[in-house]
Amino acid sequence: MFHLTKNFSKVRWEKSHSSILTVLLICSVILNLLLARKIRDVTETSRLLHLQLNSPVLVPGSKAPEFFASTPDGNKEFLNYADAQVPTVLY
């Protein structure tokens, strides 16, 4: 009788052990899918940023767009190079 109880306990432990491993495997697959999606998004953003940085925004002879900028003391100023009467060199 003791032998049967011991075998039954062993089978139950193996089933429990296999259930735990199955749950861990499913969690691992889900996490891998989420990480792959995140990597794909970051890669796409990086590619778009790279394209944007490599393409010139201003070509020689074009007019710079107007924009707001902060002065060293923190005030906001509006800059519009198109209104300037003299050529402006940006570098």
Side-chain angles (χ1 to χ4, degrees):
M1 183 75 166
F2 178 72
H3 191 304
L4 289 174
T5 308
K6 187 175 178 185
N7 283 342
F8 181 71
S9 176
K10 184 177 178 184
V11 169
R12 207 160 83 176
W13 167 251
E14 287 175 358
K15 273 189 163 183
S16 173
H17 187 65
S18 110
S19 296
I20 292 171
L21 289 177
T22 302
V23 169
L24 288 175
L25 178 63
I26 290 171
C27 290
S28 175
V29 168
I30 290 171
L31 284 175
N32 281 329
L33 290 173
L34 291 174
L35 288 174
R37 183 174 167 193
K38 191 171 189 173
I39 288 171
R40 187 187 66 217
D41 291 345
V42 168
T43 303
E44 180 66 17
T45 303
S46 174
R47 185 185 69 79
L48 291 174
L49 182 60
H50 191 280
L51 285 174
Q52 187 178 10
L53 291 176
N54 285 340
S55 60
V57 176
L58 295 175
V59 293
S62 66
K63 295 187 180 200
E66 53 196 33
F67 61 94
F68 282 96
S70 296
T71 61
D73 58 351
N75 296 325
K76 294 235 180 226
E77 295 221 6
F78 180 73
L79 298 175
N80 186 359
Y81 290 111
D83 292 341
Q85 300 300 322
V86 295
T88 305
V89 178
L90 298 176
Y91 56 93

